[in-house]
């Protein structure tokens, strides 16, 4: 018979069996920990050199896939870590918001789930139920690696370029430009899956709730800033590159005469000022800037500034990506005047 004395097992067969089993479990745990650490060191590449990623060339696909596969687990996600810490601080400052911050951020274990919760609560109504939207948004966001990458690059774009953005957490919770952009990404994924009726239903709700009309077939790159968003209209065949900044009231539309591919193509790093209207299947060059209130009816060269109605090229810009500076007033101080 075995008995317990001074935390030591005393017994013939039982003692050796239990002891060997514990050794085996300890060795297995150590091997597992070492494997996890090796994987972490491979996946958790230095984010301080990556964010803001939108300002740098595209990452290697293998690195991105490894990062995304590691999210929502034990691996490092600095954007999500920052959001959680900011939410905790805000809950201490404003106890009245503690329940809201817990339900929206702290109750979730990754950015994807928190974002889905926030968007669903904005878009639900008596006929489009929260339970249905939750299934749709979680399924799409969690399984679309492109979206998982874009939601982080977009929130970094808001944090870096919008002076009214207080924190990563405030972007996630309050900025409707971010909300409508991520809702569009879900609708776009559904459109590409052939679920076009559902995608158009989401487009309708996005338009109602946020005052922004983005066709789910349009293509929008990552690291995008949709500042305020109010009144923005983006047509079906429009294509927007990476690191683009778009102010409120921008229209990327057709002239009403074309069929098929009939909407503008905006290249990487472009900046579209407030209430800019761009019509037709024309190209806005890389790093170009369109001054507020302009009507663009023809191609705009890369790294140039266009202004007026109709818009004309009035100068050229030093910066490679004008979108990162967010300066969109047509003054001589910010461009090299081509007329001088």
């Amino acid at each position: 018979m075995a008995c317990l004395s001074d935390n030591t097992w005393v017994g013939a067969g039982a003692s050796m069996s239990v002891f060997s089993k514990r050794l085996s479990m300890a060795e297995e745990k150590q091997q597992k920990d070492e494997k996890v650490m090796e994987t972490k060191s491979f996946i958790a590449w230095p984010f301080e050199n990556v964010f803001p990623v939108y300002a740098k060339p595209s990452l290697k696909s293998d690195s991105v896939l490894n990062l995304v596969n590691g999210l929502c687990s034990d691996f490092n996600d600095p954007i999500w870590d920052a959001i959680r810490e900011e939410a905790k601080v805000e809950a201490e400052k404003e106890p009245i918001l503690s329940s809201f911050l817990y339900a929206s951020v702290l109750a979730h274990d990754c950015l994807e789930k928190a974002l889905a919760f926030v968007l669903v609560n904005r878009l639900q109504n008596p006929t489009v139920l929260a339970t249905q939207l939750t299934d749709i948004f979680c399924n799409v966001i969690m399984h679309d690696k492109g979206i998982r990458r874009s939601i982080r690059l977009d929130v970094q774009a808001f944090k870096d370029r919008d002076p009214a953005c207080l924190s990563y957490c405030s972007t996630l919770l309050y900025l409707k430009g971010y909300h409508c952009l991520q809702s569009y990404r879900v609708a776009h994924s559904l459109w590409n899956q052939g679920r076009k009726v559902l995608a158009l239903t989401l487009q309708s709700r996005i338009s109602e709730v946020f005052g922004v009309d983005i066709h789910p077939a349009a293509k929008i790159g990552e690291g995008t800033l949709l500042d305020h968003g109010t009144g923005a209209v983006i047509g079906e065949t429009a294509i927007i590159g990476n690191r683009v900044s778009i102010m409120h009231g921008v229209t990327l539309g057709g002239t009403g005469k074309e069929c098929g591919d009939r909407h503008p193509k905006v290249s990487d790093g472009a900046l579209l000022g407030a209430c800019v209207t761009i019509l037709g299947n024309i190209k806005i060059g890389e790093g170009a800037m369109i001054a507020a209130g302009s009507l663009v009816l023809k191609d705009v060269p890369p790294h140039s500034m266009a202004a007026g109605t109709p818009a004309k090229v009035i100068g050229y810009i030093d910066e490679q990506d004008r979108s990162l500076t967010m300066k969109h007033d047509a003054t001589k101080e910010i461009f090299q005047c081509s007329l001088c």
Side-chain angles (χ1 to χ4, degrees):
M1 179 181 293
C3 63
L4 184 63
S5 175
D6 296 330
N7 296 325
T8 304
W9 283 99
V10 180
S15 61
M16 293 303 297
S17 175
V18 171
F19 183 69
S20 61
K21 183 178 292 186
R22 286 181 174 178
L23 279 178
S24 176
M25 292 174 63
E27 291 174 354
E28 183 179 349
K29 183 178 184 301
Q30 182 178 359
Q31 292 175 358
K32 184 177 179 182
D33 291 342
E34 289 175 354
K35 186 175 181 181
V36 169
M37 290 303 296
E38 289 176 1
T39 308
K40 278 186 177 183
S41 64
F42 176 69
I43 293 177
W45 27 275
F47 279 85
E48 63 272 15
N49 295 328
V50 174
F51 288 97
V53 176
Y54 60 82
K56 298 186 177 183
S58 298
L59 297 171
K60 293 181 179 179
S61 58
D62 290 344
S63 298
V64 176
L65 292 178
N66 287 329
L67 166 65
V68 172
N69 287 333
L71 295 174
C72 267
S73 63
D74 295 330
F75 300 104
N76 294 332
D77 181 1
I79 296 289
W80 175 237
D81 292 342
I83 290 173
R84 287 183 59 85
E85 288 304 313
E86 290 163 355
K88 291 176 183 177
V89 171
E90 291 304 317
E92 292 176 0
K93 289 181 179 178
E94 290 289 352
I96 195 172
L97 295 177
S98 58
S99 296
F100 164 70
L101 291 167
Y102 178 81
S104 302
V105 177
L106 301 176
H108 307 284
D109 58 10
C110 63
L111 177 56
E112 287 81 356
K113 294 177 183 178
L115 176 62
F117 179 88
V118 171
L119 297 181
V120 166
N121 277 277
R122 296 297 303 272
L123 295 172
Q124 66 168 322
N125 69 8
T127 56
V128 184
L129 303 180
T131 52
Q132 298 169 328
L133 285 177
T134 298
D135 290 341
I136 294 168
F137 274 72
C138 285
N139 184 61
V140 170
I141 295 175
M142 295 299 295
H143 293 90
D144 191 317
K145 294 173 182 177
I147 290 180
R148 298 178 74 183
R149 172 184 163 94
S150 295
I151 63 178
R152 288 167 172 81
L153 301 182
D154 291 345
V155 77
Q156 184 72 48
F158 276 79
K159 177 65 170 60
D160 286 352
R161 296 183 225 162
D162 184 357
C165 178
L166 299 176
S167 62
Y168 295 105
C169 187
S170 65
T171 301
L172 171 65
L173 295 177
Y174 310 122
L175 299 189
K176 73 171 186 177
Y178 182 74
H179 293 165
C180 65
L181 183 58
Q182 308 320 316
S183 301
Y184 145 79
R185 294 196 187 282
V186 173
H188 180 67
S189 180
L190 294 171
W191 181 273
N192 290 338
Q193 294 173 24
R195 305 173 71 181
K196 296 186 176 181
V197 174
L198 181 55
L200 291 171
T201 301
L202 274 182
Q203 177 198 4
S204 176
R205 281 298 296 157
I206 293 167
S207 179
E208 288 178 44
V209 174
F210 302 119
V212 179
D213 195 353
I214 307 175
H215 196 283
K219 299 177 182 178
I220 301 178
E222 59 195 19
T224 302
L225 170 63
L226 189 56
D227 195 13
H228 299 291
T230 303
V233 177
I234 300 175
E236 179 182 8
T237 59
I239 299 177
I240 299 173
N242 300 322
R243 309 181 305 279
V244 174
S245 294
I246 302 173
M247 308 302 287
H248 62 275
V250 168
T251 297
L252 303 182
T255 63
K257 299 179 181 178
E258 304 114 327
C259 296
D261 192 357
R262 60 195 183 278
H263 294 104
K265 312 297 181 280
V266 181
S267 302
D268 295 351
L271 170 60
L272 309 183
C275 299
V276 162
T277 299
I278 307 174
L279 301 179
N281 185 12
I282 60 178
K283 183 175 181 180
I284 306 302
E286 183 176 355
M289 194 206 91
I290 313 299
S294 299
L295 171 63
V296 185
L297 300 175
K298 60 182 181 180
D299 292 353
V300 175
H303 309 298
S304 65
M305 173 186 287
T309 305
K312 297 179 181 179
V313 174
I314 60 174
Y316 292 88
I317 304 167
D318 291 329
E319 293 87 355
Q320 290 299 305
D321 285 341
R322 192 66 189 173
S323 61
L324 304 184
T325 69
M326 293 301 290
K327 296 178 181 178
H328 55 103
D329 55 324
T331 59
K332 289 184 179 180
E333 288 75 12
I334 64 169
F335 68 93
Q336 299 171 349
C337 181
S338 62
L339 302 179
C340 298

